[in-house]
Amino acid sequence: MTTPVSPEPGRRALSMIGPDFPFPYDDYRLSPAGLGSVPASAFGTEVAVVGGGLAGIITAYELMRMGLRPVVYEPEQIGGRMRSAEFEGFPGTVAELGAMRFPLSSTTLHSYLAAMGLPTRPFANPLATDTPSTVIDLKGNPLYARNLDDLPPEFRLVAQAWGQALEDGANLGALTSALRARDPLRIKAIWNDLVRRLDDHTFYHFLADSPHFRSFADRELFGQVGFGTGGWDTDFPNSILEVLRIVATGADEDQHLVIGGCQQLPLRLWSHQPDALAGWPAGTSLQALHAGSPRPGVTALRRTHSGITVTDAAGAIRTYPAVVYAAPIWLLLNNIECDESLFSSALWTSIERTHYMGSSKVFVLVDRPFWRDQDPATGRDTMSITLTDRMSRGTYLFDDGPDRPAVICLSYTWADDSLKLLPLSATERMDLMLHSLGEIYPGVDIRSHIIASPITVSWEMERNFMGAFKANLPGHYRYQEQLFGHFMQDQMPDAHRGIFLAGDDISWTAAWAEGAVQSALNAVWGVQHHFGGVCDPDNLGPGDRFAEFAPIRLPDIL
Ligand SMILES: Cc1cc2nc3c(=O)[nH]c(=O)nc-3n(C[C@H](O)[C@H](O)[C@H](O)COP(=O)(O)OP(=O)(O)OC[C@H]3O[C@@H](n4cnc5c(N)ncnc54)[C@H](O)[C@@H]3O)c2cc1C
């Protein structure tokens, strides 16, 4: 179900910029003035970038364009949670193990996709306009629908109740309108009030407290079907502010997939030879600067008299005047040996309090998109995008034409629903999901179409990730504010400067690649400033305009 955010003709398209820090990252990135410069004396200076996910690669790419020499450390694949896996024996097939749908409101991210020549197309979400059909199966009762109007009235009523709860409880229409107008004063007036009022509340409390969700049955139905992208009851324990950021910025609407897989974005940035490049000869790329591959994973980070000293898994020890840490921050607690003096004790607390959601996906490759065959008796598709309260929860269908192998994401789960799968092998997971779907589609033999071994992931089991993405709990706003603002280092004692945080955990919109991109641009600004660099006066950066847009600071922070 989509939220009732009414379009306002003539206004700028909604973007994932704000509401906490409504700096126009998309305009900044696209400005012909560029992101600014560092003094020529700094050209060629090495900066360590820990993590070759999207945030790390964008940081490295932009630092290279300024003339610095990024040194990327990555223990696995370039791309991190932008991971597009191929089925064994079937090159070119794509199972999006991490990110898979990118709202058009991810405007900064989409600007990088466009710059790298990567086309996108609408993602087939449940009940979305471009989705041929959806099946919603709750309590053993599968319902077939081409749009919301095909479902029984209670679904429409719950969708309306959600819209009203957002309007009455969170002033959503006014907030969205201020975000669309990019009016920081209006945004701040509304959002800061919501932060003060709602930081202590869960998503579930917000619903239960609303006169529009008095009925438990309505809350249950809403939790199963959710809005926009699928069931949201696994988010019920999270802070309502996390959910409001998504709906206010249109992140749950108009989502696209990247044709050929989203991992292409970090991979293309890695090999791209930018035209505009300071301090380096034409033809320079990250790949060329690294002789092909990043350095291995980091095992220790220490503060030494000449900078920050990085040890890697091959035993190499190098000291840098600046480091960008763009790997999941829990790894600083248990995977990477760290000096406590790297950060203030308040920042360590914020790192420790970070909360991750788990997530699992199970994919199979089939001979062709058989689900598009219509049952001559009913005129219905053989199979549809499926939301269910059974173990599979969300099933998504991907195809590139009628006679080619096609991909089914049999199951996409979060939090407790993902934990239920942890002990199971890929084959056991596939069998379980085929059993669930067999109950919903009794006449369809999905198994007979499968042509490759299943692929699965549980991000909470992955040593270099430890979770799928951050999701703040009630009372976590203060920690997030500390993490996000860490790139502003002028007021810090010297002993804490020189290491910059970036990535999903640092952003206001974790679980969305746009936030990782925005956090990378903050880190780039932080490093540039650290080396005495400046932005063009016509294109000031996030740090130059920090005071103007700064997230509200709540009281009682140590
Ligand atoms: C299941 C799932 C679904 C998602 N769906 C969407 C979606 O539909 N749309 C969307 O926009 N976003 C989605 N996201 C979020 C998106 O994938 C992330 O926001 C983004 O990819 C994060 O990029 P990052 O660079 O911050 O982190 P990562 O991609 O995690 O990169 C961090 C890198 O650090 C590396 N690393 C780990 N340890 C070390 C070490 N010791 N030394 C050096 N490097 C190390 C890791 O290997 C990794 O490559 C999803 C994520 C997941 C997991």
Side-chain angles (χ1 to χ4, degrees):
M1 294 175 188
T2 49
T3 48
V5 176
S6 55
E8 294 169 49
R11 290 284 177 86
R12 250 187 114 155
L14 197 55
S15 84
M16 286 187 73
I17 285 162
D20 297 273
F21 186 71
F23 173 78
Y25 289 95
D26 48 1
D27 292 345
Y28 170 60
R29 178 178 115 74
L30 287 171
S31 166
L35 301 189
S37 57
V38 294
S41 57
F43 283 177
T45 306
E46 290 192 340
V47 177
V49 177
V50 183
L54 186 62
I57 294 298
I58 285 184
T59 303
Y61 180 79
E62 298 298 358
L63 292 179
M64 173 183 75
R65 293 216 301 165
M66 279 180 195
L68 296 167
R69 184 181 189 120
V71 179
V72 176
Y73 291 81
E74 170 56 55
E76 297 194 20
Q77 302 175 28
I78 287 174
R81 284 170 274 177
M82 307 277 277
R83 181 169 298 181
S84 315
E86 277 180 353
F87 288 89
E88 207 180 329
F90 292 90
T93 52
V94 174
E96 295 282 40
L97 299 188
M100 65 178 182
R101 42 193 169 183
F102 304 97
L104 292 180
S105 65
S106 298
T107 43
T108 326
L109 172 79
H110 277 278
S111 79
Y112 278 106
L113 287 167
M116 293 299 116
L118 289 168
T120 67
R121 67 161 192 257
F123 185 95
N125 268 317
L127 301 172
T129 324
D130 295 297
T131 303
S133 60
T134 302
V135 165
I136 295 182
D137 164 71
L138 301 177
K139 302 191 175 176
N141 181 26
L143 297 166
Y144 180 90
R146 294 203 181 269
N147 55 51
L148 186 57
D149 292 337
D150 291 344
L151 291 170
E154 59 263 32
F155 285 85
R156 257 188 322 284
L157 292 175
V158 163
Q160 281 164 10
W162 174 231
Q164 286 162 338
L166 287 172
E167 200 47 49
D168 294 355
N171 206 0
L172 190 83
L175 178 60
T176 305
S177 155
L179 284 163
R180 202 183 286 275
R182 301 206 176 192
D183 179 338
L185 290 180
R186 270 166 62 207
I187 296 170
K188 291 276 162 206
I190 301 165
W191 182 248
N192 291 354
D193 173 56
L194 292 174
V195 171
R196 285 192 211 95
R197 273 200 296 122
L198 297 178
D199 176 45
D200 296 331
H201 293 217
T202 63
F203 182 12
Y204 189 79
H205 178 94
F206 179 82
L207 289 180
D209 209 31
S210 166
H212 307 291
F213 276 98
R214 284 278 179 263
S215 137
F216 175 77
D218 286 352
R219 298 198 290 276
E220 190 185 41
L221 182 65
F222 175 74
Q224 302 283 0
V225 181
F227 49 90
T229 54
W232 277 74
D233 50 4
T234 43
D235 270 273
F236 276 172
N238 297 333
S239 162
I240 179 61
L241 295 178
E242 297 285 87
V243 177
L244 295 179
R245 289 186 183 102
I246 294 171
V247 294
T249 62
D252 61 325
E253 299 178 332
D254 294 333
Q255 298 177 334
H256 278 216
L257 58 74
V258 179
I259 295 170
C262 67
Q263 192 171 359
Q264 293 172 99
L265 176 59
L267 287 172
R268 288 218 184 161
L269 286 163
W270 173 253
S271 60
H272 189 246
Q273 301 170 355
D275 294 334
L277 199 63
W280 295 109
T284 303
S285 66
L286 290 173
Q287 189 169 29
L289 289 181
H290 290 78
S293 325
R295 296 211 50 85
V298 168
T299 55
L301 285 169
R302 302 199 188 291
R303 204 173 272 284
T304 49
H305 66 280
S306 46
I308 294 160
T309 300
V310 178
T311 307
D312 69 32
I317 301 174
R318 293 156 83 144
T319 297
Y320 299 90
V323 169
V324 176
Y325 182 85
I329 52 174
W330 271 10
L331 303 179
L332 292 169
L333 304 172
N334 58 9
N335 228 334
I336 299 175
E337 267 182 60
C338 289
D339 277 351
E340 247 180 65
S341 61
L342 284 175
F343 305 113
S344 68
S345 51
L347 201 86
W348 277 116
T349 303
S350 301
I351 292 171
E352 281 161 5
R353 301 311 299 159
T354 291
H355 171 68
Y356 288 154
M357 299 257 285
S359 176
S360 297
K361 290 185 178 180
V362 186
F363 289 89
V364 290
L365 186 71
V366 293
D367 53 357
R368 65 183 184 86
F370 62 89
W371 50 83
R372 288 185 180 270
D373 299 350
Q374 292 203 334
D375 180 331
T378 61
R380 291 179 173 185
D381 298 333
T382 298
M383 202 178 140
S384 311
I385 311 292
T386 307
L387 296 180
T388 176
D389 50 7
R390 299 175 198 272
M391 287 289 275
S392 48
R393 294 303 309 261
T395 298
Y396 299 85
L397 309 170
F398 306 88
D399 74 89
D400 287 323
D403 300 314
R404 305 177 62 182
V407 172
I408 308 181
C409 177
L410 289 175
S411 167
Y412 180 17
T413 52
W414 298 307
D416 285 1
D417 291 326
S418 174
L419 282 180
K420 291 169 197 156
L421 305 178
L422 284 197
L424 306 186
S425 69
T427 306
E428 287 170 318
R429 291 180 185 195
M430 176 184 73
D431 290 345
L432 190 67
M433 303 317 164
L434 290 178
H435 177 77
S436 278
L437 291 166
E439 299 290 324
I440 304 169
Y441 302 100
V444 184
D445 186 0
I446 303 172
R447 193 183 291 274
S448 68
H449 291 279
I450 295 176
I451 54 172
S453 302
I455 299 180
T456 191
V457 66
S458 291
W459 288 94
E460 56 273 45
M461 295 272 281
E462 297 289 312
R463 187 181 175 100
N464 293 316
F465 297 88
M466 299 193 64
F469 31 73
K470 186 192 62 179
N472 284 321
L473 297 172
H476 277 194
Y477 176 88
R478 291 168 178 83
Y479 306 132
Q480 189 59 55
E481 194 243 330
Q482 296 262 324
L483 291 169
F484 179 82
H486 177 255
F487 74 104
M488 298 298 293
Q489 303 200 344
D490 284 353
Q491 306 305 318
M492 287 182 190
D494 284 351
H496 289 152
R497 293 194 202 175
I499 181 162
F500 298 87
L501 300 174
D504 193 78
D505 297 347
I506 307 310
S507 93
W508 288 108
T509 49
W512 300 98
E514 171 73 14
V517 174
Q518 294 182 6
S519 75
L521 294 178
N522 288 350
V524 168
W525 185 92
V527 172
Q528 175 189 33
H529 189 66
H530 188 72
F531 285 111
V534 287
C535 289
D536 188 291
D538 288 336
N539 192 33
L540 294 177
D544 303 311
R545 301 184 68 185
F546 193 79
E548 190 185 338
F549 296 117
I552 181 178
R553 174 150 293 182
L554 293 182
D556 305 333
I557 193 157
L558 290 179

